[in-house]
Every structure is written in C-alpha cells, then in structure tokens.
C-alpha cells in the first residue's frame, strides 16, 4: 500500500502566502487521518522557527519535535503551486507536507530532498498535469 495516494495530491493550487500553503498541506494530512488538528499548528510554529523552504522550488513543512503525539500515522501530502508561493526570498512551486512516526521522519525527509534536488524531477513535478503523474515521479525514486 502506497503512502501517497491521489486524495493527498492537489494540482494547480493557489495560496495567498506560505502559511495558507502550510495549512493546506496539513489539512490534507488531517483529512486522511494521519494527524490531529494540533499538528497543523505545530507545522506553522516550525515555519516561525526556521523556514521549511529547502531550495529548488520546494518546501517541506512538518511539525516540531513536540508534535509527535499529534501524529496518528505516517503520511505525506503534495501540493503543486504553478504560480509559486512566497516562502521569504524564494518561491515554492511544490509543497510536500510530512507527518511521520518514529524513525521514518528523517528517512522520508531525506528521500524527498534527494529527489527534488534533481532539476529534471522538479521540472517534471511542476509541469505534471495529474496527481498520478506526481505520484509516479515521487515513487520512482523513493520507497513510499
């Protein structure tokens, strides 16, 4: 069973700012039963501590260390923003929310960062037309 399913991928989204984008990523995780509502607050709190923008048009919002109790199961959400979302000095075109239990957190974070460090992967994600395309790109490079 894949961790990433079409109901956790939003295509052609828009957001007023990075906080709205983070809330959207968190809401997908909540709706899928991976987190409680408290986790979304912790995702926003983390953004205040340090930006979750990692470069190359990608932001990976996730909760703080104190948010572990709000994670019900490991899951990821993916949102494509063709016009970009302002994350400070940079534009994020892909926002991938993470909620992971135990040691899975760093593994998922690292896998996503490695995939998205490749310019051709980010271009493919940015220009994907369907959720299935996004899932195929991400799953081709990582064990979801």
């Amino acid at each position: 069973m894949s961790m990433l399913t079409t109901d956790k991928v939003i295509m052609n989204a828009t957001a007023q700012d990075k906080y709205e984008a983070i809330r959207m990523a968190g809401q997908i995780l909540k709706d899928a039963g991976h987190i409680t509502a408290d986790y979304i607050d912790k995702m926003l709190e983390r953004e205040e501590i340090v930006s979750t923008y990692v470069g190359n048009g990608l932001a990976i919002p996730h909760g703080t260390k104190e948010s572990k109790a709000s994670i019900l199961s490991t899951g990821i959400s993916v949102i494509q923003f063709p016009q970009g979302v302002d994350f400070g000095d940079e534009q994020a075109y892909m926002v991938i929310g993470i909620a992971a239990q135990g040691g899975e957190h760093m593994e998922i974070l690292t896998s996503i960062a490695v995939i998205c460090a490749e310019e051709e992967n980010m271009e493919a994600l940015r220009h994907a037309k369907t959720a299935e395309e996004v899932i195929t790109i991400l799953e081709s490079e990582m064990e979801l």
Side-chain angles (χ1 to χ4, degrees):
M1 172 74 179
S2 174
M3 186 186 319
L4 188 56
T5 51
T6 56
D7 60 320
K8 292 186 273 186
V9 179
I10 296 178
M11 306 298 294
N12 298 310
T14 58
Q16 294 297 317
D17 56 31
K18 65 182 179 178
Y19 302 108
E20 182 181 359
I22 292 167
R23 276 189 212 92
M24 290 168 70
Q27 191 63 47
I28 294 168
L29 293 169
K30 182 181 175 301
D31 291 347
H34 294 297
I35 61 169
T36 65
D38 298 346
Y39 190 80
I40 299 171
D41 295 334
K42 295 298 184 185
M43 292 171 83
L44 294 165
E45 190 177 304
R46 171 168 296 283
E47 191 64 33
E48 288 300 309
I49 297 166
V50 60
S51 177
T52 56
Y53 181 83
V54 296
N56 210 18
L58 173 68
I60 309 176
H62 52 285
T64 61
K65 283 185 174 61
E66 296 78 32
S67 65
K68 291 194 187 316
S70 300
I71 301 171
L72 306 174
S73 62
T74 298
I76 66 174
S77 60
V78 179
I79 308 174
Q80 177 196 62
F81 292 97
Q83 281 74 49
V85 176
D86 186 6
F87 266 76
D89 295 334
E90 301 287 348
Q91 290 287 310
Y93 299 96
M94 297 300 297
V95 173
I96 301 179
I98 298 176
Q101 292 184 313
E104 296 175 310
H105 180 80
M106 282 310 295
E107 188 179 313
I108 294 170
L109 200 58
T110 302
S111 293
I112 292 169
V114 167
I115 292 163
C116 296
E118 297 289 331
E119 190 64 43
E120 62 268 20
N121 289 339
M122 278 306 289
E123 281 299 308
L125 289 169
R126 280 181 64 182
H127 298 292
K129 300 289 183 229
T130 66
E132 290 83 3
E133 277 183 71
V134 169
I135 292 169
T136 299
I137 295 161
L138 291 174
E139 287 186 342
S140 70
E141 301 286 335
M142 70 188 287
E143 301 300 315
L144 292 177

